Amino acid sequence: MFAGDQNGLQGDPRLKAISEAIRVVPHFPKPGIMFQDITTLLLDHKAFKDAVDIFVDRYRDMDISVVAGVEARGFMFGPSIALAIGAKFVPLRKPRKLPGEVISEAYVLEYGTDCLEMHVGAVQPGERALVIDDLVATGGTLCAAIRLLGTTQTKWKAVVYSCGATPADKLFCTFC
Ligand SMILES: O=P(O)(O)OC[C@H]1O[C@H](OP(=O)(O)OP(=O)(O)O)[C@H](O)[C@@H]1O
Ligand SMILES: Nc1ncnc2[nH]cnc12
């Protein structure tokens, strides 16, 4: 996992603008949580486009066939990235939302527990997948997404978050 200064984006003015477009709401949804609200980023066309473009530029020539978006905020960035890099989009959904046969992974959140599900057959063994979400807090969601894709024996998992609860500089990614 690496931050803006280690991924070739050091000094990129887009990072500051993206960071500033994310509203921080203290004590939401409960005391002590500094909520990183990306809905304000979505209102800023340039910052929103820059956030998508940064990932498109990074991953377009990496033979990635699957972009997996984590419900719900991964759905706000993932499809645009998938279309631009020529990959399919696979939603990783919260429980009981997908109508077909699913595989499930439970995980612990900063303020609760949850579960991600994916349709069986959406990802084939050997495919290269990129996971998209808006941030890492405890990392529980990210780990669940990796486990979910791992059950399909996906050859590569590239995990990308467009912003982070900490540090403030927001752009980092992991390959596993
Ligand atoms: O690193 P973690 O501790 O796992 O937390 C990060 C996750 O929490 C948020 O989603 P949330 O579960 O609140 O769902 P939402 O996108 O539907 O609001 C966020 O969008 C990440 O998916
Ligand atoms: N600090 C935070 N801000 C926004 N979403 C979150 N999900 C978990 N922790 C969060």
Side-chain angles (χ1 to χ4, degrees), residues 28 33-37 73 109-111 134-135 137-138 165:
F28 180 87
I33 302 292
M34 297 295 284
F35 191 86
Q36 310 291 311
D37 179 15
R73 292 172 243 167
L109 274 170
E110 198 174 7
Y111 39 82
D134 66 324
L135 65 83
T138 66

Side-chain angles (χ1 to χ4, degrees), residues 23-45:
R23 172 171 55 180
V24 179
V25 183
H27 310 302
F28 180 87
K30 68 179 196 182
I33 302 292
M34 297 295 284
F35 191 86
Q36 310 291 311
D37 179 15
I38 53 88
T39 66
T40 48
L41 171 65
L42 306 178
L43 297 175
D44 181 334
H45 178 267

